[in-house]
Amino acid sequence: MRDGMCMETPITTDSFTNVYEEKKAQAEGVIGRYCETGGCLFPTAVSIVYGHSKTGIALKFNALYAPVKSLLCIRTSL
Protein backbone atom coordinates (compact mmCIF):
# COMPACT_ATOMS: atom_id res chain seq x y z
CA MET A 1 0.00 0.00 0.00
CA ARG A 2 2.97 2.30 -0.67
CA ASP A 3 3.74 4.63 -3.53
CA GLY A 4 7.18 4.63 -5.11
CA MET A 5 10.09 2.34 -4.33
CA CYS A 6 9.65 -0.26 -1.59
CA MET A 7 12.99 -0.88 0.14
CA GLU A 8 13.96 -4.04 2.05
CA THR A 9 13.42 -2.50 5.48
CA PRO A 10 11.30 -3.55 8.46
CA ILE A 11 7.56 -2.94 8.07
CA THR A 12 6.35 0.09 9.99
CA THR A 13 2.60 -0.10 9.37
CA ASP A 14 -0.44 -1.88 10.73
CA SER A 15 -2.33 -1.56 7.44
CA PHE A 16 -2.12 -4.58 5.14
CA THR A 17 -3.81 -5.63 1.91
CA ASN A 18 -4.32 -9.23 3.09
CA VAL A 19 -3.59 -11.70 5.89
CA TYR A 20 -0.48 -13.02 4.10
CA GLU A 21 1.16 -9.57 4.23
CA GLU A 22 0.20 -9.19 7.89
CA LYS A 23 1.59 -12.60 8.92
CA LYS A 24 4.80 -12.04 6.94
CA ALA A 25 5.31 -8.70 8.71
CA GLN A 26 4.67 -10.37 12.08
CA ALA A 27 7.21 -13.10 11.28
CA GLU A 28 9.80 -10.50 10.26
CA GLY A 29 9.17 -8.69 13.56
CA VAL A 30 9.71 -11.87 15.60
CA ILE A 31 12.93 -12.68 13.74
CA GLY A 32 14.13 -9.08 13.96
CA ARG A 33 13.66 -8.98 17.74
CA TYR A 34 15.46 -12.34 18.05
CA CYS A 35 18.38 -11.03 15.99
CA GLU A 36 18.58 -7.87 18.11
CA THR A 37 19.31 -10.05 21.14
CA GLY A 38 22.29 -11.63 19.35
CA GLY A 39 20.48 -14.82 18.32
CA CYS A 40 21.24 -14.51 14.59
CA LEU A 41 24.62 -15.35 13.11
CA PHE A 42 23.91 -13.48 9.83
CA PRO A 43 21.30 -11.06 8.44
CA THR A 44 17.92 -12.76 8.20
CA ALA A 45 14.66 -12.05 6.37
CA VAL A 46 11.35 -13.78 5.72
CA SER A 47 10.88 -14.36 2.01
CA ILE A 48 7.79 -16.61 2.00
CA VAL A 49 5.26 -17.54 4.69
CA TYR A 50 4.45 -21.24 4.35
CA GLY A 51 2.55 -23.72 6.51
CA HIS A 52 -0.80 -24.60 8.04
CA SER A 53 -2.64 -21.53 9.32
CA LYS A 54 -3.13 -22.99 12.82
CA THR A 55 -0.19 -25.36 13.42
CA GLY A 56 2.50 -23.89 11.14
CA ILE A 57 3.31 -27.41 9.93
CA ALA A 58 4.46 -27.73 6.30
CA LEU A 59 4.08 -31.17 4.76
CA LYS A 60 5.73 -30.50 1.39
CA PHE A 61 9.08 -28.93 0.70
CA ASN A 62 9.38 -28.38 -3.04
CA ALA A 63 10.72 -25.63 -5.30
CA LEU A 64 12.74 -23.24 -3.14
CA TYR A 65 12.08 -25.23 0.02
CA ALA A 66 14.30 -28.19 -0.98
CA PRO A 67 17.52 -26.12 -1.22
CA VAL A 68 16.70 -24.30 2.02
CA LYS A 69 16.04 -27.59 3.81
CA SER A 70 19.35 -28.94 2.43
CA LEU A 71 21.22 -25.93 3.84
CA LEU A 72 19.60 -26.51 7.22
CA CYS A 73 20.74 -30.16 7.19
CA ILE A 74 24.28 -29.11 6.28
CA ARG A 75 24.34 -26.50 9.04
CA THR A 76 23.16 -28.92 11.72
CA SER A 77 25.69 -31.58 10.65
CA LEU A 78 28.71 -29.26 11.07
Side-chain angles (χ1 to χ4, degrees), residues 66-76:
V68 171
K69 189 173 181 183
S70 297
L71 290 173
L72 180 61
C73 290
I74 292 168
R75 188 183 95 188
T76 55

Side-chain angles (χ1 to χ4, degrees), residues 8-71:
E8 289 291 329
T9 57
I11 302 297
T12 57
T13 183
D14 289 329
S15 178
F16 302 98
T17 304
N18 54 50
V19 174
Y20 176 85
E21 290 179 358
E22 180 181 6
K23 296 305 175 190
K24 185 172 183 290
Q26 288 174 352
E28 289 172 342
V30 168
I31 291 171
R33 288 188 295 278
Y34 178 73
C35 289
E36 287 173 0
T37 65
C40 296
L41 300 177
F42 49 87
T44 306
V46 176
S47 61
I48 298 173
V49 177
Y50 183 80
H52 188 277
S53 64
K54 302 265 190 256
T55 65
I57 294 172
L59 300 176
K60 287 185 175 181
F61 289 91
N62 49 15
L64 177 61
Y65 307 111
V68 171
K69 189 173 181 183
S70 297
L71 290 173

